[in-house]
């Protein structure tokens, strides 16, 4: 039976792919499309944030069932804002250690519903092996030891972490104690390279697994760099970022004696989690100022403990969650928000 390699390319957009194909700048993607199938009209889940989308991808259910609604949300039971390292100033105010624990441990071990099963858990139950390379959702049956680089230990005040669960092979860049990191160039694991959460690291690990002679039945390889580039630039001109992704896919295909042999031995799947749309240059014209819109309500400030407040706002960049803390203000709050629509 063929092995499966799934590449999750953050913010891969079909219109950009079409442009690159016309210009003949993405030979690997073009090869896979010509030898396989291409579905450009896919719809992601809502909200389109990495944590919620990837949770749906790995569980097959929507956020209302897997219980991970976004990158930032409010837990009414614990009365705290959950943040998976989104927004530097926000993370600083909430506490770096708390946010780090949320994304490293709590996301998979606590927040992701135990009522749903991940793909890695299902594969293990069926006797299949799997690997998760830098994906944010990775819950599985095997325990892995967290070992943060020194600077991250300092930033999080040397807090300890419980072992986290994942498939047989799990990497989160340089954040885990794994033998694979000994085989990855050190410069790919530095702070300037997001401690290994980058395309080069992920591709290097994937190639090692292919060359090992013991390739897992399923590999999920997360490629985040395209998203970073698209955020920095106009999404309509993201060809250069996708060309870099294609170079990485060429590296993977070149691991085999030929590209034809690669698709004979493995099933290659390339997917996106969401796209991006340019909304304009004017912040005043396109942004919704919730501070102004909800000025009549008492809002919880970042770092504050909800007490006698009216509202908690969790900003997810292109969307926001607004939580009324008092039932009697719910209709008034909805009317205020609707007035801006």
């Amino acid at each position: 039976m063929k092995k499966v390699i799934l590449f999750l390319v953050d913010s891969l957009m079909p219109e950009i792919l079409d442009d690159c194909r016309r210009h003949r700048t993405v030979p690997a993607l073009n090869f896979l499309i010509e030898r396989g199938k291409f579905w450009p009209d896919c719809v992601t889940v809502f909200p389109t944030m990495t944590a919620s989308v990837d949770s749906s991808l790995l569980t097959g259910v929507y956020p209302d069932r897997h219980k991970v609604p976004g990158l930032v949300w409010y837990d009414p039971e614990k009365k705290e804002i959950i943040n998976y390292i989104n927004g530097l100033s926000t993370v600083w105010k909430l506490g770096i250690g708390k946010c780090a624990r949320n994304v490293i441990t709590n996301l998979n071990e606590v927040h992701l519903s135990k009522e749903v099963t991940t793909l890695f858990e299902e594969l293990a139950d069926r006797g299949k092996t799997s690997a998760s390379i830098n994906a944010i959702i990775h819950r599985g049956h095997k325990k892995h030891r967290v070992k943060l680089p020194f600077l991250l230990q300092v930033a999080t005040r040397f807090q300890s972490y419980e072992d986290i669960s994942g498939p047989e092979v799990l990497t989160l860049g340089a954040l885990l104690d794994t033998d694979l990191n000994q085989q990855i160039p050190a410069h790919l694991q530095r702070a300037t390279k997001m401690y290994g959460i980058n395309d080069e690291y992920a591709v290097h690990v994937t190639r090692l697994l292919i060359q090992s002679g013991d390739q897992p039945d399923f590999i999920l390889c997360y490629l985040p760099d395209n998203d970073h580039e698209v955020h920095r630039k106009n999404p309509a001109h993201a060809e250069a970022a996708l060309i870099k992704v294609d170079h990485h896919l060429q590296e993977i295909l070149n691991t085999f004696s030929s590209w034809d042999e690669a698709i004979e031995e493995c099933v290659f799947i390339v997917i996106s989690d969401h796209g991006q749309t340019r909304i304009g240059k004017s912040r005043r014209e396109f942004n919704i100022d919730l501070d102004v819109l909800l000025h009549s309500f008492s809002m919880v400030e970042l770092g504050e403990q909800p007490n006698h407040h009216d509202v908690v706002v969790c900003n997810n960049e292109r969307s926001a969650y607004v939580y009324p803390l008092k039932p009697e203000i719910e209709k008034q709050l909805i009317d205020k928000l609707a007035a801006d629509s």
Side-chain angles (χ1 to χ4, degrees), residues 51 71 82-86 96-109 111 135-138 161 164 172 175:
L71 287 171
I82 306 299
N83 183 301
Y84 301 126
I85 309 292
N86 185 68
I96 297 174
K98 181 183 292 185
C99 294
R101 182 173 295 281
N102 278 333
V103 71
I104 294 172
T105 304
N106 293 341
L107 173 55
N108 284 273
E109 310 304 324
H111 302 152
I136 192 173
I137 301 298
H138 49 71
Y161 292 87
I164 61 175
L172 289 174
L175 308 186

Side-chain angles (χ1 to χ4, degrees), residues 2-15:
K2 287 186 177 182
K3 310 285 188 178
V4 177
I5 305 178
L6 172 63
F7 296 97
L8 175 54
V9 182
D10 208 322
S11 291
L12 169 62
M13 294 173 282
E15 58 271 24

Side-chain angles (χ1 to χ4, degrees), residues 22 34 76 79 83-84 93 102 127 130 139 142-144 170 216 231 250 267 280 286 294 308 310 325:
R22 279 195 298 271
E34 289 185 345
K79 294 185 177 181
N83 183 301
Y84 301 126
K93 292 176 182 177
N102 278 333
S130 58
R139 196 177 71 197
K142 183 178 178 180
K143 291 296 184 180
H144 300 265
L170 174 65
H231 271 298
Q250 291 176 50
V267 174
F286 295 102
L294 304 179
H308 300 295
D310 298 321
L325 299 180

Side-chain angles (χ1 to χ4, degrees), residues 166-304:
E168 286 81 359
V169 178
L170 174 65
T171 71
L172 289 174
L175 308 186
L176 297 182
D177 185 12
T178 169
D179 292 338
L180 283 170
N181 282 342
Q182 308 303 318
Q183 305 175 60
I184 306 296
H187 73 275
L188 297 181
Q189 304 181 56
R190 293 173 182 162
T192 54
K193 284 286 191 176
M194 301 296 291
Y195 290 109
I197 309 298
N198 61 71
D199 288 5
E200 290 179 88
Y201 176 101
V203 168
H204 205 109
V205 171
T206 302
R207 294 188 67 202
L208 285 173
L209 293 176
I210 294 171
Q211 295 167 334
S212 69
D214 191 25
Q215 180 182 335
D217 296 306
F218 173 78
I219 298 174
L220 169 58
C221 177
Y222 174 58
L223 303 177
D225 293 359
N226 183 70
D227 180 71
H228 302 326
E229 288 294 313
V230 174
H231 271 298
R232 282 194 287 265
K233 301 174 182 177
N234 183 343
H237 301 286
E239 294 95 336
L242 188 55
I243 290 171
K244 291 179 183 178
V245 171
D246 193 83
H247 287 162
H248 291 311
L249 295 178
Q250 291 176 50
E251 290 182 71
I252 298 294
L253 292 171
N254 289 337
T255 307
F256 301 85
S257 60
S258 70
W259 289 12
D260 286 327
E261 182 194 316
I263 60 175
E264 282 296 320
E265 293 189 11
C266 299
V267 174
F268 290 87
I269 305 172
V270 181
I271 64 172
S272 177
D273 52 356
H274 57 73
Q276 294 190 26
T277 302
R278 188 181 185 189
I279 59 174
K281 294 181 179 180
S282 171
R283 289 181 177 270
R284 289 185 179 181
E285 183 179 358
F286 295 102
N287 280 3
I288 299 173
D289 193 332
L290 290 177
D291 288 330
V292 173
L293 188 63
L294 304 179
H295 73 278
S296 60
F297 298 97
S298 172
M299 290 190 287
V300 177
E301 297 291 333
L302 291 174
E304 279 188 334

